Amino acid sequence: MFPLHRGRRLRVNESIRSLVRETTLSPSDFMFPMFIAEGENVKVEIPSMPGIFRRSIDLTVEEVKELFDLGIRAVNIYVKVDESLKDNTGKEAWNPNGLMQRAIKAIKAACPEMIVMPDVALDPYSIYGHDGIIENGDIANDATNAALVKMAVSHAQAGADFVAPSDMMDGRVLRLREGLDAAGFHNVGIMSYSAKYASAFYGPFRDALDSAPKEADVVVPKDKKTYQMDYANRIEAVKEALWDVEEGADMVMVKPGIAYLDIVREVKDAVDVPVTVFHVSGEYAMIKAASERGWLDHDKIMMEQLMCIKRAGASLISTYFAKEAAILLKK
């Protein structure tokens, strides 16, 4: 009771504030999403994501070494697949000599201690831009799961530490766990995108990989709302996360980030595994655009959002700001 208790005593200066700070950030809290392209010495900036590039494997490896030196210990990798390799089966996704598989091998050879978590979903490989196989105008859940198992096993064979299914098919975590174990990869983990919402915040990401749903000469879903979650729902997120843990997920993810911190906290309170949060491309792009116009202080907003995600319950934050934030923290 005032005046015996004065909250401002613990805010007098930065030294006191740092002593009693409840949440802290370090570079090891971050995972950096990386886009990989074919070729050599290729570095193409993504227009809607200033400072983020599609890199060829050789330049990706150099970037990974820099990230590791900054204290970042995990990368989440995605590949830009040539149109000629896309079809409705996604078979290029488990090609042992595919771009993803070569990238995993190269990263692990150059930086063995970096944790590599390749994306497991068919949309980069699909002529329709969907995360699964199209049958009779819809996503064939179980046929897609069978394809995802082949994809995940090929990632494990290439050296992946975790696989990261982002597809949102029902039962895919169980099928992946069974498939990895049957192939002898008991120690390869699963970081499941458990509460992945059908969000408008993904636009720049889809520009980076050309993975948005496309018009076709057959009937296909016009969007991803039959498998990604309705952003009006909260209880469903907890249910999906609990199911994934029961099926063998080692980590669960909430995606997007800053607009979904209520979901992060609910999932964190419900599960007994680490919770990853994806601070997504649209969230990144908005900060970049506003700061370029002088409307926001870039570094302050970046660090505030990352701190808020951690405060909400994130064990790991997948963010395009990882490198910039790590450099700032090192200072």
Side-chain angles (χ1 to χ4, degrees):
M1 179 183 294
F2 179 84
L4 300 180
H5 296 288
R6 293 177 181 266
R8 289 183 59 194
R9 293 187 189 120
L10 299 181
R11 306 178 201 136
V12 169
N13 55 49
E14 178 56 24
S15 293
I16 292 175
R17 292 192 295 271
S18 67
L19 286 176
V20 299
R21 189 161 289 140
E22 299 173 34
T23 307
T24 59
L25 282 173
S26 76
S28 61
D29 291 321
F30 306 138
M31 175 163 60
F32 191 44
M34 305 187 76
F35 301 115
I36 302 172
E38 286 284 9
E40 292 185 10
N41 200 35
V42 174
K43 183 179 178 181
V44 179
E45 188 171 37
I46 299 159
S48 53
M49 300 177 70
I52 301 298
F53 300 85
R54 286 193 293 266
R55 292 179 171 87
S56 51
I57 290 175
D58 54 331
L59 298 187
T60 297
V61 165
E62 295 306 310
E63 181 75 352
V64 167
K65 290 177 182 177
E66 289 186 31
L67 296 170
F68 194 83
D69 289 342
L70 286 168
I72 294 168
R73 294 293 178 260
V75 292
N76 191 198
I77 59 176
Y78 304 84
V79 292
K80 176 71 168 64
V81 179
D82 188 271
E83 290 296 321
S84 66
L85 299 174
K86 297 182 180 183
D87 63 12
N88 187 37
T89 71
K91 63 180 183 297
E92 178 63 19
W94 54 89
N95 177 0
N97 296 311
L99 179 57
M100 178 68 86
Q101 289 74 7
R102 286 182 278 124
I104 295 167
K105 290 176 183 177
I107 293 169
K108 294 301 291 184
C111 192
E113 294 181 59
M114 180 64 86
I115 302 302
V116 178
M117 300 191 188
D119 180 58
V120 175
L122 296 184
D123 50 334
Y125 304 88
S126 168
I127 54 173
Y128 304 123
H130 274 287
D131 292 45
I133 296 168
I134 302 293
E135 291 182 2
N136 301 318
D138 196 6
I139 309 297
N141 191 93
D142 296 358
T144 296
N145 282 346
L148 297 176
V149 170
K150 295 177 187 177
M151 185 179 185
V153 169
S154 77
H155 293 174
Q157 290 169 336
D161 301 282
F162 280 74
V163 294
S166 64
D167 56 284
M168 288 297 287
M169 296 299 114
D170 291 336
R172 90 277 206 214
V173 172
L174 177 61
R175 294 291 174 254
L176 290 175
R177 187 70 272 159
E178 291 172 339
L180 289 166
D181 287 355
F185 295 108
H186 304 89
N187 290 328
V188 172
I190 298 174
M191 182 192 70
S192 175
Y193 289 56
S194 298
K196 181 179 180 181
Y197 285 85
S199 171
F201 282 108
Y202 305 152
F205 176 93
R206 292 174 181 170
D207 291 343
L209 292 184
D210 188 27
S211 60
K214 300 175 177 62
E215 293 185 4
D217 55 2
V218 297
V219 177
V220 299
K222 65 179 182 180
D223 52 38
K224 301 191 177 189
K225 293 182 179 180
T226 67
Y227 45 101
Q228 294 178 0
M229 285 178 48
D230 183 344
Y231 58 71
N233 293 353
R234 175 181 58 85
I235 295 170
E236 184 184 13
V238 175
K239 178 180 69 175
E240 289 280 354
L242 289 171
W243 282 352
D244 283 359
V245 172
E246 290 174 359
E247 291 177 17
D250 300 282
M251 303 184 193
V252 296
M253 177 186 276
V254 175
K255 179 181 181 182
I258 204 71
Y260 292 76
L261 296 188
D262 60 323
I263 307 301
V264 175
R265 173 44 57 186
E266 295 246 14
V267 170
K268 179 71 172 180
D269 289 343
V271 302
D272 57 1
V273 300
V275 176
T276 302
V277 176
F278 205 139
H279 192 217
V280 299
S281 59
E283 295 170 310
Y284 173 89
M286 288 193 300
I287 292 177
K288 289 294 183 183
S291 62
E292 284 174 2
R293 287 161 175 77
W295 296 341
L296 295 174
D297 183 306
H298 178 279
D299 290 352
K300 288 180 180 179
I301 289 292
M302 172 181 72
M303 298 308 292
E304 182 177 343
Q305 288 204 0
L306 294 172
M307 185 70 80
C308 291
I309 293 170
K310 178 81 179 293
R311 187 195 64 214
S315 303
L316 181 64
I317 305 169
S318 184
T319 176
Y320 299 98
F321 286 116
K323 186 176 182 181
E324 292 176 275
I327 290 171
L328 202 60
L329 288 169
K330 286 288 186 181
K331 292 180 180 179

